[in-house]
């Protein structure tokens, strides 16, 4: 299962590292890909809960951008 987010406030490699480590701390997350230039976060895992993942990203300082 994969979930894709576009987030705000991603400015540097440190931001990317924070997102990756924060999401990998969630038990259901197996892999995280981040495209810094577009603010795209691609999360792969088992039984992903989109609301929980969005809350985790927000807590890390990277809220989802409304489309």
């Amino acid at each position: 299962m994969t979930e894709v987010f576009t987030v705000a406030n991603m400015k540097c490699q440190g931001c990317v590292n924070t997102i990756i480590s924060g999401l990998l701390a969630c038990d259901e997350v197996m892999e995280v890909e981040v495209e810094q230039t577009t603010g795209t976060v691609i999360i792969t895992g088992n039984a992903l809960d989109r609301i929980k993942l969005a809350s985790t990203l927000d807590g890390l300082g990277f809220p989802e951008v409304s489309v």
Side-chain angles (χ1 to χ4, degrees), residues 2 4 6-8 10-11 18 21 26-27 31 35-36 40 42 48-50 53 58 60 62 64-67:
T2 301
V4 180
T6 301
V7 298
M10 193 184 322
K11 298 180 173 95
T18 297
S21 63
C26 299
D27 291 336
E31 182 180 356
E35 296 179 15
Q36 181 182 337
T40 303
I42 304 165
L48 296 174
D49 180 343
R50 185 169 180 84
L53 294 171
D58 190 49
L60 292 169
F62 304 96
E64 184 174 17
V65 176
S66 299
V67 181

Side-chain angles (χ1 to χ4, degrees), residues 4-38:
V4 180
F5 293 86
T6 301
V7 298
N9 303 331
M10 193 184 322
K11 298 180 173 95
C12 65
Q13 187 61 42
C15 297
V16 171
N17 294 340
T18 297
I19 291 169
I20 291 171
S21 63
L23 289 171
L24 286 175
C26 299
D27 291 336
E28 67 275 10
V29 175
M30 296 169 52
E31 182 180 356
V32 179
E33 289 181 55
V34 179
E35 296 179 15
Q36 181 182 337
T37 56
T38 61

